[in-house]
Structures are given as C-alpha cells and as structure tokens.
Amino acid sequence: MAYSGPFQPGDRVQLTDAKRRHFTLILQPGAKFHSHKGIVEHDQIIGMDEGSVVRSTLGADYLLFRHLMVDHVLSMPRGAAVIYPKDSAQIILEGDIFPGARVLEAGAGSGALSMSLLRAIGENGQLISYEIRQDHLDYAMSNVDEFFGGRPATWDPRLGDLTQVTVEDLGGPVDRVVLDMLEPWECLPVVRDVLIPGGVFMTYVATVPQLMKVMEGIRELQCFTEPKAWESLVREWKVEGLATRPEHRMNAHTAFLIWARRLADGVTPPRPQRRARK
C-alpha cells in the first residue's frame, strides 16, 4: 500500500459521505462499491489524488483519503480488546520507543499496539510479541500483515507464556518492555531479568485492583524507580458558531498506564520522602 501520491490498486481507501459516515474499500481494477446512494467504480478512484471527491451513479459525493493507522485499528477484526490510539500514543512517547530499539511486548492481543511499536522502532529495531492464546495471536498476525502488506522483518510474534521466558530466549536483553495482560504482576521478575539498566517498563491495566497489585509488585522488587500511573480522557468539541460545546459522548476511562525504569544491578531505589504535615 502506498502512503502518498495518486491512489493505486491495493490501496485501502476511506470514503466519507455528507453525514461523515465512513466506508472502507481496497482498490481493485474493475471492482465496484455499492451503497443505497449508488455505485462507485474503483477505476474512478485509481489515479485520483487524496482529498478528491468521487460521485456515485445516484449523485452522492464521497471524500477520498487513504486509511490512517487509527482508522485501521478501530475498524480491523479483533479477538481481544485493542489498546486505543490515545493510549498507544502515550506508550510510544512515554516509553521512549526509538528507532532501532529492541522491544518486548506481551500480550499481542489483536495487534493494535504492535503496529504502533513496529512503526516506532523503524527498519533496524526488533519487536518480540508474546501471546498466550493462539486465536488472539492469529488475529494479531492477520491484522499486522494486512496493514503493512506483509510480515515486517522486524517483528517476531510468538505463542507462549511470558512468565517462562528467559533472557536467552530473547537473544539478549531488551531496551523496552510493554505489557497488556490480565495479571502483569506475575511477569515482573521476568521484566527485571530481561530489561537493560535504564530501560523503560510500561504496562496497561483496566481496573483499580490491577493497578494496585502492579504498583506494589514493582516496589517490592526494589530494582525499579518509583512507579507512576495515570489515565487519559479525550473529549471532542462540536464547534458551530454560538453552539460551540463539548460533545455529549467522550472517550473516558479505557485503562491505566504504569511507568517505571530499571535500576542498575545491586542498586536499590531511594526511599520516597513525603512532605511533612503542618
């Protein structure tokens, strides 16, 4: 799939109608898009520039753009719930996922975070993704392969239990670890053993009990910095002159993000000091 330039066969294209409804198609010569507003032939779209408008046989106009990653993530088939874009973006930045990084991920789920990580590590990085369920791993591989147009050479998806993984299984230590699983506290000893000193560890949990158990588990190991946790809430606004107001619906709680860094071997974290009460 091309990322820019005129539309080509094989491109994933999003059609947007006057009511801002989205329709996705993969361009194929001779194929047709059918709707209650008429027919659009793929051959009409092939060769057009992004941002163009195509008209159906019944006179309906559709705005044309290539699928973005966020569009693919929210519309792709899934076995497990995906990490939503608002959280993936923070994982990439707060986790400092850099080009050339070796990243360990578990579980792979439906592959949404895997796609973001693969883009961030670039052509010289490596992403090792563990998933304990075969059906979820199948979804992840299918979604990632479809988005990139094939299996990225930098991706190593594996079926297995992270609690049983050693640094030798990974071919050496990793720069970053990102977890999205039901009981991430069970994997903290593995994270300690495979993460380089100074490496960033992040985990994604949905509930308060999970949040508490991970935070306390990190503190008990005495080999990480004091962990921090947060959530992000996204609210769109409707801007129409004097009727400008926040939308009634919003992307509120999806999960908590937890962040910590690995200390050097033999170093224990300084004891946090609390402000004295007045």
Side-chain angles (χ1 to χ4, degrees):
M1 184 184 72
Y3 289 104
S4 62
F7 291 118
Q8 304 173 19
D11 283 352
R12 185 178 297 273
V13 181
Q14 187 175 81
L15 283 66
T16 305
D17 67 11
K19 293 186 177 180
R20 290 188 286 183
R21 290 176 297 196
H22 301 308
F23 306 89
T24 301
L25 53 86
I26 298 176
L27 291 180
Q28 300 175 359
K32 297 180 180 181
F33 166 71
H34 294 262
S35 76
H36 67 286
K37 291 187 176 181
I39 298 172
V40 174
E41 295 187 6
H42 289 208
D43 291 335
Q44 294 176 254
I45 301 173
I46 295 173
M48 297 179 74
D49 290 322
E50 286 196 78
S52 298
V53 173
V54 66
R55 179 161 292 178
S56 73
T57 54
L58 296 181
D61 290 333
Y62 293 93
L63 188 60
L64 304 172
F65 283 100
R66 280 187 176 86
H67 234 215
L68 300 177
M69 180 181 287
V70 64
D71 302 315
H72 187 71
V73 166
L74 296 179
S75 64
M76 68 188 188
R78 61 185 70 174
V82 299
I83 294 182
Y84 279 83
K86 71 183 182 71
D87 297 316
S88 293
Q90 293 195 62
I91 289 172
I92 297 300
L93 186 61
E94 296 280 354
D96 192 40
I97 310 298
F98 59 90
R102 296 192 76 235
V103 181
L104 171 63
E105 173 198 20
S110 295
L113 181 61
S114 301
M115 289 186 285
S116 296
L117 293 171
L118 285 165
R119 268 199 174 173
I121 64 175
E123 297 179 354
N124 298 317
Q126 183 185 22
L127 174 63
I128 304 170
S129 301
Y130 275 87
E131 174 55 56
I132 200 168
R133 289 181 51 169
Q134 182 67 61
D135 56 337
H136 288 176
L137 185 62
D138 290 340
Y139 272 108
M141 292 190 294
S142 175
N143 288 327
V144 171
D145 293 352
E146 184 177 7
F147 180 76
F148 287 102
R151 181 67 48 82
T154 54
W155 192 38
D156 183 4
R158 302 179 182 184
L159 179 67
D161 185 349
L162 187 63
T163 61
Q164 307 300 317
V165 172
T166 65
V167 69
E168 288 76 20
D169 296 327
L170 304 178
V174 297
D175 302 301
R176 306 288 185 262
V177 177
V178 184
L179 302 184
D180 173 24
M181 55 178 59
L182 188 62
E183 298 178 335
W185 52 87
E186 299 287 348
C187 298
L188 291 178
V190 173
V191 174
R192 174 197 59 200
D193 295 340
V194 304
L195 189 59
I196 64 169
V200 178
F201 164 55
M202 292 193 71
T203 187
Y204 177 93
V205 294
T207 69
V208 171
Q210 288 176 305
L211 170 67
M212 295 168 62
K213 292 195 72 170
V214 174
M215 295 283 281
E216 291 306 316
I218 290 173
R219 289 168 178 151
E220 287 174 6
L221 283 180
Q222 292 283 292
C223 63
F224 292 96
T225 58
E226 174 64 14
K228 66 176 182 178
W230 71 94
E231 65 174 336
S232 62
L233 312 177
V234 176
R235 181 173 66 179
E236 292 189 7
W237 279 66
K238 186 173 184 179
V239 181
E240 295 180 354
L242 296 178
T244 296
R245 57 171 175 76
E247 291 282 3
H248 295 302
R249 299 179 63 184
M250 67 178 290
N251 293 322
H253 175 76
T254 48
F256 300 103
L257 292 174
I258 303 170
W259 179 100
R261 297 190 70 176
R262 171 78 153 81
L263 298 174
D265 292 337
V267 174
T268 56
R271 184 174 181 178
Q273 293 187 356
R274 311 297 182 188
R275 287 186 177 182
R277 293 183 179 180
K278 294 183 179 179

